């Protein structure tokens, strides 16, 4: 059996082989082939190890804090890792993990994200219409979103401890280091003005539609194709 660290190196080389720089791509591909020949690795072994699936957003540099919170919750539930990749044309939320887990996680994230965006928007229109200060409205809407995710988390805990097994967590950490991934997280303010908004969000989150019927094929066929705007 091939050592996982070798498989991660091959996977990293194959990822770099997709670089827009022809020289860098060629070098990375040669390195991947050399490693595969040296250790008698076939393509299936590499593909079954770790995979990545991304979701496009209109945010270019970073997500609002509730975006990280939702991605982190979904990643943990499906025993994946995640990170945000920034770019001028629009960033991407990337889920990575073993076998089909990133595909399922990405699909589940889209299912929940669509609900969160719609619910947060409705809260701004109907519940925060009297608040004329934009900064306050944004803060309160984000607190509502955080509460909504807390409600979803409570529902998920009925099915999972939301803990990634130690051996798998270490493999994911090794993969993140291989790609120099920085797992950014943001802490949201606990300002008293947002307490009632979070509670309302929590109640709404308890009514969210989950994704237990999702299968690999339905996820693969439905994921992607959209670019999400998460607000401020």
């Amino acid at each position: 059996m091939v050592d996982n660290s070798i498989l991660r190196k091959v996977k990293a080389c194959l990822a770099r082989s997709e670089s827009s720089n022809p020289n860098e791509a060629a070098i990375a591909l040669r390195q991947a082939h050399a490693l595969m020949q040296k250790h008698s690795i076939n393509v299936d072994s590499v593909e079954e190890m770790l995979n990545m699936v991304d979701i496009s957003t209109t945010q270019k540099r970073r997500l609002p804090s509730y975006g990280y919170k939702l991605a982190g919750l979904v990643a943990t539930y499906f025993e994946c890792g995640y990170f945000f990749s920034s770019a001028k044309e629009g960033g991407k939320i990337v889920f990575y993990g073993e076998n089909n887990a990133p595909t399922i996680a990405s699909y589940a994230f889209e299912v929940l994200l669509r609900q969160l965006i719609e619910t947060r928007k409705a809260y701004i229109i109907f519940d925060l219409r009297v608040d004329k200060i934009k900064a306050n409205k944004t803060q309160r809407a984000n607190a509502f979103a955080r509460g909504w995710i807390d409600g979803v988390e409570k529902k998920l805990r009925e099915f999972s401890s939301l803990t990634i097994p130690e051996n798998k967590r270490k493999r994911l950490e090794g993969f993140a280091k291989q790609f120099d991934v920085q797992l950014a997280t943001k802490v949201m303010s606990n300002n008293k003005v947002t307490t009632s908004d979070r509670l309302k969000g929590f109640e709404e989150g308890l009514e969210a539609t989950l994704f237990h019927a999702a299968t690999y094929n339905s996820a693969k066929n439905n994921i992607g194709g959209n670019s999400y705007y998460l607000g401020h």
Side-chain angles (χ1 to χ4, degrees):
M1 183 176 180
V2 181
D3 188 271
N4 286 342
S5 63
I6 301 299
L7 287 173
R8 284 196 292 269
K9 289 179 180 178
V10 174
K11 192 80 173 180
C13 289
L14 290 175
R16 290 197 298 271
S17 72
E18 298 179 3
S19 169
S20 57
N21 184 315
N23 290 331
E24 181 181 341
I27 292 171
L29 190 58
R30 286 199 299 270
Q31 290 174 336
H33 287 170
L35 283 170
M36 292 173 74
Q37 288 182 344
K38 180 179 179 179
H39 298 281
S40 300
I41 301 172
N42 58 43
V43 175
D44 289 338
S45 296
V46 178
E47 291 303 319
E48 289 174 1
M49 183 58 192
L50 286 162
N51 294 293
M52 294 190 293
V53 178
D54 59 66
I55 297 173
S56 297
T57 75
T58 58
Q59 272 75 18
K60 298 179 180 180
R61 298 183 61 186
R62 61 181 178 273
L63 297 174
S65 56
Y66 65 84
Y68 292 105
K69 182 176 176 66
L70 181 60
L73 174 61
V74 171
T76 301
Y77 184 81
F78 289 103
E79 299 184 358
C80 293
Y82 85 96
F83 61 91
F84 179 73
S85 176
S86 59
K88 291 182 179 180
E89 64 275 11
K92 293 182 179 181
I93 302 167
V94 183
F95 289 93
Y96 62 90
E98 299 178 354
N99 303 312
N100 301 328
T103 300
I104 303 296
S106 299
Y107 173 69
F109 179 78
E110 285 195 303
V111 169
L112 290 172
L113 181 61
R114 283 194 292 268
Q115 295 178 69
L116 176 54
I117 290 174
E118 291 173 1
T119 306
R120 180 180 179 273
K121 183 178 179 180
Y123 190 69
I124 291 173
I125 293 173
F126 297 108
D127 292 73
L128 303 182
R129 62 184 182 276
V130 296
D131 195 334
K132 303 302 181 182
I133 302 176
K134 184 176 180 181
N136 286 352
K137 186 175 291 189
T138 297
Q139 182 185 29
R140 294 182 63 186
N142 288 352
F144 173 87
R146 185 181 179 87
W148 189 92
I149 297 168
D150 288 339
V152 171
E153 179 177 343
K154 180 176 174 59
K155 293 187 69 172
L156 291 181
R157 286 191 179 279
E158 298 175 8
F159 306 95
S160 168
S161 64
L162 294 178
T163 302
I164 299 178
E166 182 68 13
N167 59 338
K168 182 172 289 188
R169 184 183 62 78
K170 288 182 177 179
R171 290 198 297 272
L172 291 173
E173 288 178 351
F175 181 69
K177 290 178 181 178
Q178 189 74 36
F179 283 87
D180 193 27
V181 170
Q182 299 297 319
L183 302 182
T185 57
K186 297 177 68 178
V187 178
M188 199 167 205
S189 170
N190 287 322
N191 193 305
K192 291 182 179 179
V193 73
T194 66
T195 301
S196 62
D197 300 298
R198 288 186 63 180
L199 288 174
K200 291 177 181 177
F202 178 79
E203 293 172 356
E204 289 287 338
L206 292 175
E207 302 300 320
T209 301
L210 300 183
F211 35 74
H212 299 296
T215 63
Y216 171 63
N217 287 330
S218 65
K220 185 172 64 174
N221 292 333
N222 286 286
I223 191 171
N226 298 303
S227 183
Y228 294 94
Y229 175 67
L230 279 70
H232 301 290

